Each structure stands twice: as structure tokens, then as C-alpha cells.
Amino acid sequence: ITLEFRAFIAMAFVAPLVFALSTAVSAHDYVVKDGTSIEASLTGKPGDAAKGRKLAISRKKGNCLACHVMPIPEQPYHGKIGTDLNGAGSRYTEGELRLRIVNSKVLNRDTIMPAFHKWKGLHRVLKKFRGKTILTAQEVEDVIAYVMTLK
């Protein structure tokens, strides 16, 4: 069997598998612009601010209240480690918020804020969480939609 024939066979059988694997994660792909923002929506759909608010205050999902003061009077014990989110919709663009939620370590590698939508390059991840993100792409967009209402 010639080398060319082997290459043809490899492309015929392997290329569709590689394409299937890469498209399976395409919803998670994003481009960081100038090291400060992710301009494009992760889903191509607008976020739902009401769902985003629920995620932001959920102690099991977004848990923004653990570190940030927010205009959520019904929930006690807001954290004061992170930036006060009151007025954040006026201070940041959607793209800047998207980067902070997806992976704030791009902006500050020493931050304690988790990367809510990172699944690659992580270490010591429990097997059941490998390849998964804290928030889905749509949940990221929902949180952004909520925070943008905080003028």
C-alpha cells in the first residue's frame, strides 16, 4: 500500500471524526478581543435577564452574591470581595462582562473569581465535572443580560 493511499484512507475515516469532535464544542469557542472582551454572544441568542437574575443569586449555580454586593435585598449576606455590581451595566460593555464571566483570569490571573465557562486546561477536576462548565453558554448570556440591567 502506498503512502498516498494510506493518507487517503486516514482522511476518509479520521477527518469526519475530527470534524464531529470539533463541532461538538463549537458553542464554547470564543475570541478574546484586545485581551479585554468577548464581543460575540456565545449562543447567537440574547440572554434572558429574569433567568440571569435567578442564576446570579442561586447559591448552587452562579452564586454571585458570595463575592459581590448586588441590588438583591431579599438575600442577606452579600460578599464584599468582588466589585459592587450596582451600576455594573453602566460601567461595562456586554463583551467586557462576557469575558469576566467566561474566564476572568484572562484579565487577572490571581483573581479568585472562577472561570464560569472554561472547560479546557483545568487541573484536578473531579471526573464527573471534566469537560463541563459551571454555566452553560446560554446561562452566561442570561447573567450578562441581567447585569446589563444594573444601571
Side-chain angles (χ1 to χ4, degrees):
I1 297 177
T2 67
L3 184 59
E4 291 82 13
F5 185 69
R6 287 182 193 169
F8 171 76
I9 295 297
M11 290 304 291
F13 292 101
V14 175
L17 176 61
V18 170
F19 177 75
L21 289 173
S22 64
T23 57
V25 297
S26 65
H28 298 289
D29 294 335
Y30 56 85
V31 175
V32 177
K33 180 182 173 192
D34 300 328
T36 62
S37 66
I38 300 171
E39 296 297 314
S41 165
L42 299 178
T43 62
K45 297 186 241 176
D48 180 318
K51 288 180 181 176
R53 184 180 191 279
K54 288 179 184 175
L55 287 164
I57 64 175
S58 167
R59 300 286 182 186
K60 294 185 179 187
K61 201 63 165 158
N63 200 16
C64 301
L65 288 174
C67 296
H68 300 277
V69 172
M70 300 175 68
I72 312 285
E74 69 274 20
Q75 291 283 337
Y77 311 116
H78 296 216
K80 295 183 181 176
I81 296 169
T83 306
D84 186 332
L85 293 183
N86 287 291
S90 297
R91 292 191 307 271
Y92 301 106
T93 67
E94 286 185 15
E96 290 169 333
L97 288 172
R98 190 172 290 110
L99 178 57
R100 281 165 170 75
I101 295 168
V102 166
N103 185 5
S104 61
K105 293 185 184 348
V106 171
L107 297 166
N108 176 3
R109 68 184 198 129
D110 296 326
T111 185
I112 63 167
M113 183 167 168
F116 284 93
H117 196 69
K118 183 177 177 178
W119 74 103
K120 292 180 184 175
L122 301 174
H123 305 283
R124 299 183 329 182
V125 177
L126 285 176
K127 189 175 182 179
K128 68 180 182 176
F129 295 117
R130 286 185 193 145
K132 296 179 182 173
T133 59
I134 297 170
L135 295 177
T136 68
Q138 188 57 53
E139 289 171 335
V140 168
E141 297 303 320
D142 293 343
V143 171
I144 292 166
Y146 168 63
V147 176
M148 288 303 295
T149 69
L150 304 180
K151 304 287 185 181

